[in-house]
Amino acid sequence: MSRRMKLGLVGTGLLLVIVAVLVMGASRRGKKATEVRIEKVGRHDLVSSVTASGKIDAKSSVDISADITGRITQIAVKEGDLVSKGQFLLQIDPTIYQAAVSRAEALVASSQAGLVQTRATMDQAERALNRTTELQKSGSTLISIESVEQAQTSYDVAVANNNSSRAQVAQAQAGLQEARDNLSKTRLTAPMSGRVVRLPVEVGEVAVPGTFSRETALLMTIADLSVVLAKVQVDETDVVRLHMGDSVNVTIDAFPDTSFAARVTKISNSAQLTATQTSGGSSDRAVDFDVEVTLDNPPADIRPDLSSTAKIVTDTRRNSLALPIIALTVRENEPVPNESRPQDSATASRGKRETEGVFIVRDGMAFFQPVKVGIAGEEHFEVLSGLKEGDTIVAGPYQAIREIKDSTRVRASADSAGQGARKL
C-alpha cells in the first residue's frame, strides 16, 4: 500500500470520527431538558373586571345661549363661580330693544284710539239704520227704499271697520309683548343652581343667536356637580358582562394618587360607531357603548371633561382553584381516525380543532392537559375542570410554553423553587 493511500485512509477515519462526535453531540443536545418555570395549581381570590376610559361629566348641565343679537355690556360671574337659580349672570345692550318696546307701546295706543273712533262710527251708523227701519215699517212715504239700503250699507261698513280696529289692537299688543320678551332676553339669569364651568365670552363681544352653530351662540355653561359621572366607552365584547349597580373603581388623571368608589348607573342600548384606520390602510369601525358611572364621593374641586379610567368589577371568586394566565395555551387537537373508516386528508384537516390547556409536569416530562377555565382575574384564570389542587404545571416563560410539545422533557428553572399556591 502506498503512503498516499495510507494517508487517505487515516484522513477518512478521522472524518468519520468527527462526524460521529458531532452526531452524538447533536443527539445529546436534542435530549436536553427545556428549562421552564414550575408552579403548583392552588387557590386564589379572583376579581374579573372591565377597564374603560372616558371623561368626567355632570349629571345635569345647561348651555346658556343668546336668543337675540347684541353687544355684551356686563358679565356678573367668573368661570368657576357657584351660582344659584335666578341669579343675574350677563347683560346684553338693551338700547335697541327698549326703543322697540316704546314703538310698540305707541302703536298699541294708536290702534286703541282708532278702535274708539270706529266704535263711535259703528254706533252712529246703527242708530241711523234703526231710524230708517222704523220709518219704513210705519209705511211712511217720507223715506225711500234706497235710503234704507244706504243706511244698512253704512252700518255694515262701520262694523267691518270696528272689527279691523280690534284686530289691529290685538296685533299691536302682540308686537308689544314680543318687544318686551326681546328686552327681557337682554338680561340673563341662572336657570339652575350650580357652577359656571365654561365662560367663552368677554365684555364687548357681540352675542348672536345660534341659528347655524350652537357653539357660536354659547355664552356660558352651568353644571350641577352635586352628582358627578364618569362617562366611559366600553367595547362591544365587554359590555354584555356589565350590569346595573356593578361596583367601579374610578381613577382621574388630575388626582393621580386617589381612586374613587362608584357604581354603574346607565348602560347604553345603542352603539357609538367610531371610524378607525387599520394597519393595511383600510378603514374600519370600532363599536363602543356609552356607560355612565356615578361617583359616590367626588372631590370638591372636580370639574367636567377631566380624563378618567373606570375599572368595572363584573364578577368575583373567593378561594377558587386557579392557574396563571401565562400558563394557558392553545394546541391543535386532531381526533383519532376510525380504523374501519379511514379519513382522507381533507376530512382529517376539518376534524382538527384548537384546544385550550396547560402543560402538566410528571417525572420531568411535560404533557398537554386540556383545561376548561372560567373568569379571568388580573393574573389567574379560574379552573372549572381538567386540573386539581397541587398539580404541577409549566407556568413560564412565555416563549417556552409556545414552543414545547407534548411529552417534552423539562427541568425547573431557578425561579421555580418554592413555588406553590399563593393566596392573593
Side-chain angles (χ1 to χ4, degrees):
M1 184 181 293
S2 65
R3 179 181 178 85
R4 178 176 295 178
M5 292 178 64
K6 290 180 180 179
L7 291 174
L9 291 173
V10 171
T12 303
L14 290 173
L15 180 60
L16 292 174
V17 170
I18 293 172
V19 171
V21 171
L22 292 174
V23 171
M24 291 176 64
S27 177
R28 288 176 182 173
R29 287 194 298 271
K31 295 180 180 179
K32 184 178 179 181
T34 302
E35 185 176 277
V36 295
R37 187 170 70 252
I38 302 299
E39 185 171 326
K40 290 186 178 297
V41 177
R43 295 189 175 275
H44 298 261
D45 292 339
L46 304 179
V47 178
S48 177
S49 62
V50 171
T51 301
S53 59
K55 293 187 178 296
I56 295 296
D57 200 359
K59 177 67 175 179
S60 60
S61 62
V62 177
D63 289 335
I64 299 176
S65 304
D67 293 325
I68 59 172
T69 301
R71 193 171 300 278
I72 299 172
T73 58
Q74 181 183 1
I75 299 177
V77 295
K78 302 185 298 296
E79 190 168 308
D81 284 355
L82 290 172
V83 297
S84 56
K85 184 176 180 179
Q87 180 177 335
F88 170 66
L89 301 175
L90 182 144
Q91 180 68 56
I92 297 174
D93 188 0
T95 304
I96 59 174
Y97 300 100
Q98 289 172 340
V101 170
S102 299
R103 287 196 300 271
E105 289 175 343
L107 184 58
V108 168
S110 175
S111 60
Q112 287 176 339
L115 177 61
V116 172
Q117 292 178 355
T118 57
R119 184 181 294 117
T121 302
M122 181 184 67
D123 292 341
Q124 183 179 6
E126 184 180 12
R127 290 192 296 271
L129 176 62
N130 291 336
R131 286 195 298 270
T132 56
T133 303
E134 290 297 328
L135 288 174
Q136 184 183 36
K137 288 180 180 180
S138 64
S140 174
T141 58
L142 298 177
I143 187 169
S144 64
I145 297 176
E146 182 180 2
S147 298
V148 175
E149 291 177 350
Q150 289 178 348
Q152 182 65 52
T153 301
S154 298
Y155 175 71
D156 292 341
V157 171
V159 170
N161 289 336
N162 182 255
N163 291 336
S164 175
S165 297
R166 288 179 183 277
Q168 290 176 1
V169 170
Q171 183 179 6
Q173 289 175 339
L176 175 60
Q177 184 60 46
E178 181 182 6
R180 287 173 174 170
D181 288 343
N182 288 336
L183 179 61
S184 67
K185 292 175 182 177
T186 63
R187 181 180 176 87
L188 303 183
T189 57
M192 61 180 288
S193 298
R195 185 183 300 274
V196 179
V197 296
R198 189 176 183 190
L199 184 59
V201 295
E202 299 286 346
V203 173
E205 293 185 26
V206 175
V208 295
T211 306
F212 302 103
S213 172
R214 181 179 179 182
E215 290 296 322
T216 303
L218 182 64
L219 301 178
M220 67 180 69
T221 301
I222 297 176
D224 179 9
L225 296 175
S226 60
V227 178
V228 177
L229 307 177
K231 293 185 176 180
V232 297
Q233 288 73 48
V234 178
D235 187 80
E236 60 180 327
T237 58
D238 293 324
V239 73
V240 294
R241 298 164 52 194
L242 306 186
H243 300 87
M244 296 291 290
D246 281 348
S247 61
V248 186
N249 186 278
V250 177
T251 57
I252 304 173
D253 293 352
F255 304 90
D257 300 326
T258 310
S259 60
F260 304 93
R263 65 190 183 281
V264 175
T265 52
K266 182 180 179 181
I267 303 173
S268 177
N269 290 311
S270 58
Q272 299 290 335
L273 300 180
T274 305
T276 59
Q277 196 75 17
T278 63
S279 57
S282 61
S283 60
D284 201 355
R285 299 187 76 83
V287 181
D288 293 330
F289 286 79
D290 290 333
V291 176
E292 288 185 4
V293 174
T294 302
L295 276 66
D296 293 340
N297 294 298
D301 50 350
I302 198 170
R303 60 193 64 185
D305 297 328
L306 293 177
S307 298
S308 62
T309 302
K311 183 178 179 182
I312 307 170
V313 177
T314 59
D315 211 341
T316 58
R317 296 286 188 274
R318 294 295 180 186
N319 198 33
S320 175
L321 192 65
L323 61 87
I325 290 177
I326 192 176
L328 189 68
T329 186
V330 177
R331 289 294 185 272
E332 190 177 74
N333 180 34
E334 183 177 356
V336 177
N338 191 329
E339 294 181 358
S340 63
R341 212 172 135 192
Q343 295 178 332
D344 58 20
S345 59
T347 305
S349 176
R350 288 195 298 270
K352 295 180 181 180
R353 60 186 180 86
E354 291 186 338
T355 303
E356 285 186 329
V358 299
F359 283 96
I360 191 168
V361 180
R362 298 191 186 96
D363 300 325
M365 303 287 286
F367 301 95
F368 183 75
Q369 173 65 39
V371 174
K372 184 177 180 181
V373 297
I375 69 170
E378 292 186 357
E379 298 180 358
H380 294 80
F381 277 118
E382 176 190 17
V383 177
L384 299 180
S385 64
L387 293 174
K388 63 180 182 299
E389 188 173 358
D391 282 345
T392 304
I393 62 173
V394 177
Y398 176 73
Q399 191 64 28
I401 294 176
R402 283 190 58 187
E403 295 177 354
I404 62 176
K405 302 181 182 304
D406 196 48
S407 302
T408 299
R409 183 172 297 279
V410 295
R411 64 185 179 87
S413 61
D415 59 352
S416 299
Q419 289 288 340
R422 296 180 292 118
K423 295 285 185 69
L424 292 178

